Amino acid sequence: MPVPSWSEQELLEMMKNPDYKPLTYKELEARFEITDAAEFKAFLRLLTEMEEAGKIMRSRAQRYGLPEQMNLLRGRLQVHAKGFAFLLPEQEGHPDLYINANDLKGAMNGDIVLARITSKNHDGSRMEGEVVKIVSRAVTQIVGVFEHHESYGLVIPDDKRINKEIYVRPANFKGAVTGQKVVADIVHYPEGKAAAEGEIIEVLGHKDDPGVDILSIIRKHGLPEKFPDEVNAEAEAAPDAISEEEIVAQGRRDLRGKTIVTIDGEDAKDLDDAVNVERLPNGNYVLGVHIADVSYYVKDKSRLDEEAYNRGCSVYLVDRVIPMLPHRLSNGICSLNPKVDRLTMSCEMEFEAGTMKRVRHDVFTSVIKTTERMTYTNVRKILVDEDPEQMERYAPLVETFRTMRELALALRDSRMRRGAIDFDFEESKVIVDEEGKPVDIVKRERSIAEQIIEEFMLAANETVAEHFHWLKVPFVYRIHEDPDSEKLLTFVQFASNLGYTVRGKGNSVHPRALQDLLEQIRDTKEENVISTMMLRSMKQAKYDSQSLGHFGLAAEFYTHFTSPIRRYPDLVIHRVMREVLENGGTLPEERLEQWAVRMPDIAQQSSERERVAVDAERDTNKLKKAEFMLDKIGEEYDGIISGVTGFGMFIVLDNTVEGLVRLGEMSDDYYHFDERQMALLGERTSKVYRLGDEVRIRVGRVNMDDYNIDFEVVGMKPRSENRSGGAGQRGNGGQGGAGGFAGARKGKKRRGGGEAPAAEGGRGGAARGEGGERRSGARGDRGAGAGQVAPPFVAAGAKPGGGKRGRGGRVGVGAGDADAGVASDERDDSPMLNELGEFEQSAVQLPQPQRRGAGLASEELIGFGSDAGMPPRHERDREPVDVNRDSPDYVPAPTPKSKRGPKLDMWGLPFTTRKYANDDDEERFYGEKSQLRRERSALGHGRSGGGSRSGAAHILI
């Protein structure tokens, strides 16, 4: 068969041409001048494969084109726990697509799908669509709790984004019983109304057994625990030591005579970086960074290499490490253990004293023998505490460490001057016992010892990235793109509302201006809050085959070179570096092409695996922090407000545990969410809760299913204590609760009824509640013995009856006590709110007018005057509540079941709620855009992230 004149890449490039019109396969055959029969069959196979992969689409007219040419988008689904989803388009710069739960067509979280755009707003920034085709499935296994029913079983997924149970036939139980954590393979995906079907492949143990919780998270994220036998066999074949013949044959530079040390944590075993510092006679500093040459032992395309590629990185969980490479390598021949020969890749840099300008550098292969294995604690004791014992023990190295400190601080100062952003978040480590039970939470310290290593690694990463960029060889870079201008301007406005100014030009802000702000807020109560909001406004750092710069570091070139034992991108670039060095500073043409093809895939795979690792680390931290607080329910702590939303406020404690005070539990007032101020404003008391404020809280509840912790503000009565009916002004007999908003709208601020606990069910018949006293000369409300909320809350046994006329008021209708009534002396006639700051459906449904004096059924609302049928005051007069759709508590507004219901837009919000005067009003109503969009936030809701060495902001670096 002749060499094809076409390829997948050429076909895609042709279709991307603006002048391309969809063609049939015969027209494509003519376009590529295909005449050979075998070549034609191969071409048809390619078209079929590309169509099945969703890269191209075939129309009803049998014409082929790109999905976007047919009003379709290809992308990855991110499903919310409440069922709806967002499509993250592969098309660069395209806004995310909202997809209703009914339009997912069986697609699940993480699936690659094709979706059709069905509606959009006036400027195209918000779009709604539906799934047309599922290209590939991301979820093949489910981890969850098994429930055994009479003739079938169900697996309740741990991942709340999979919000439907998995059906299991009895033949596929594999011995599982109710309450056990299991792993199930999906054998049939959901289709129409049919649920997904699975078969159990592993029983992990009962959900409450020690260790099963972490094991469930490992399985949930698909983390491999064991290495395949063939991978272990390759690792075992690696030598235990290095021979002199090897060193000479490879032409490595011998650095064994230099004073080189490793500085790591006490429990670290995979030591992959070592450093040395010298001061030259001219005052300049020479910094040497030496990294374990893992690529020498992990050969390209070997089973070891394939396994490392699939894992992407090591994962650091609370109680264990899941390594990228077998311990035989990571803790053995590749680890820079003290006083033994090790092969390394070295980067040596000379910095001019004073300016810290790099005046010379060299990258080469080497062999080293480290002098000491130092820990962060010991270096800190030498440099900060000047501990006599440590200074005596490491006397020959004390001056070296002092020189390292000088250089590290000078490098940091230089980095800050150019505009790098230095986040200083508090991180913590959960200490667990042998059974995995959390016993303590300790803060991670970022001392001068950690800063030394951090600055030296940053300098080496920048130097290596620039060196190989100018050699124009395929490489993997670590990039951090400029922030989205809209998000950044939102943050600037937020900072301005708190009294801080961020300088910029047009719609752009230089990172130097952001670092200036961080310096202004240091040691203030707003520091953690503003830092978190700043981080959320930025994009997430990732790997790329193109050098696009690093915004957070204000660096033009940056890569990851320093951790090949635990990061696959570092391992790959070591391989490229040695090839380039062995070939005189370049690569053969054939290898250039091969690496150029592979690098984009390696970069994408590495970014995806890093995201999985971060999510798994965060899940285990949340799990153990929640478990740590289980036996502390009822205890009181001081905390800081770390987040304010339309459904409550997040409070972070000194030990970094974070919990939510729900708006529905803030019973002393009715609170409005002010997004601009990031505050909750009390309507009656004018009390304000804003970001950074100190709050005394009590631990209320711990939900171990979702790892969520609920706090209560000390001094506020729990909601349950306020639902016994309010104190009425005038009660006769077994009086009912407060009249509340169910009374006529004419008489505002009325209180009626008497005092009776809800448990007694109050009586409204013979014991007739009065309408209450006149206020400010207004006509009295129609008295209601019932509590103020809607009828589903009326206590069992409550008996309605006629009420007396309130003084100056109208004849009221008495009703029984309301079990869930809100105390009238605290909430007046405000309707109940849910945790989102929205009106409860039961509290705002419009009742039907009743004939004056008529008795009412126990499920009817009561008390109508001349304004009957009007919505409550808070629906008419108040500003709309901003809703955070990212919250796990968010419930989209239900679709109206009749034509009379309000019309909902693509976000589940009624068009009729408000007429917008301008775009700013509309944006204020919709609130903050979904964090589900591209997950550009590194810290979620300000919770401390996992990660090593570089702190909570490691995702930026």
Side-chain angles (χ1 to χ4, degrees), residues 11-46:
L11 195 58
L12 290 174
E13 288 179 358
M14 179 188 72
M15 292 182 177
K16 288 178 182 176
N17 191 308
D19 297 329
Y20 175 79
K21 303 296 181 186
L23 302 176
T24 65
Y25 74 90
K26 290 185 177 180
E27 292 169 334
L28 289 170
E29 175 190 6
R31 174 74 67 90
F32 286 105
E33 300 179 351
I34 300 173
T35 56
D36 183 79
E39 183 183 1
F40 176 67
K41 289 181 180 179
F43 181 70
L44 287 182
R45 279 198 299 272
L46 176 64

Side-chain angles (χ1 to χ4, degrees), residues 21 52 63 97 101 109 121 159 414 439 452 464 516 530 666 724 729-730 765 774 822 848 868 898 901 913:
K21 303 296 181 186
E52 289 177 350
R63 295 182 177 275
L97 190 68
N109 184 62
N121 68 343
D159 189 345
S414 174
V439 295
I452 286 172
V464 169
D516 287 343
I530 293 181
M666 299 176 67
S724 57
Q729 299 295 325
R730 306 164 64 87
R774 179 191 299 270
V822 181
Q848 298 299 318
S898 69
T913 302

Side-chain angles (χ1 to χ4, degrees), residues 80 525 528-529 532-533 536 622 637-654 656-664 666 673 678-680 689-698 701 706-713 835-836 883-890 928 931 939-944:
H80 192 276
K525 69 177 184 178
N528 187 61
V529 173
T532 300
M533 296 299 292
R536 290 181 189 175
K622 286 179 61 180
Y637 298 89
D638 290 320
I640 301 292
I641 299 178
S642 59
V644 181
T645 71
F647 56 86
M649 55 186 181
F650 289 92
I651 311 294
V652 61
L653 307 183
D654 186 59
T656 72
V657 169
E658 189 175 53
L660 173 66
V661 176
R662 300 177 185 273
L663 198 65
M666 299 176 67
F673 172 48
M678 292 302 288
L680 295 176
Y689 291 98
R690 59 167 56 88
L691 283 170
D693 285 353
E694 295 182 0
V695 181
R696 183 77 174 172
I697 61 91
R698 180 188 304 109
R701 291 180 295 273
D706 299 326
Y707 320 144
N708 289 333
I709 304 169
D710 285 353
F711 292 154
E712 301 165 355
V713 177
E835 291 140 11
L836 302 177
V883 177
N884 184 340
R885 293 178 289 103
D886 306 326
S887 164
D889 300 294
Y890 171 58
E928 184 180 348
Q931 182 187 359
L939 294 179
H941 251 305
R943 296 174 172 86
S944 298

Side-chain angles (χ1 to χ4, degrees), residues 80 82-84 98 100 836 838 885 889-895 904 907-909:
H80 192 276
K82 299 303 179 184
F84 63 88
Y98 168 83
N100 187 277
L836 302 177
E838 298 171 324
R885 293 178 289 103
D889 300 294
Y890 171 58
V891 181
T895 303
L904 304 183
W907 313 102
L909 299 171

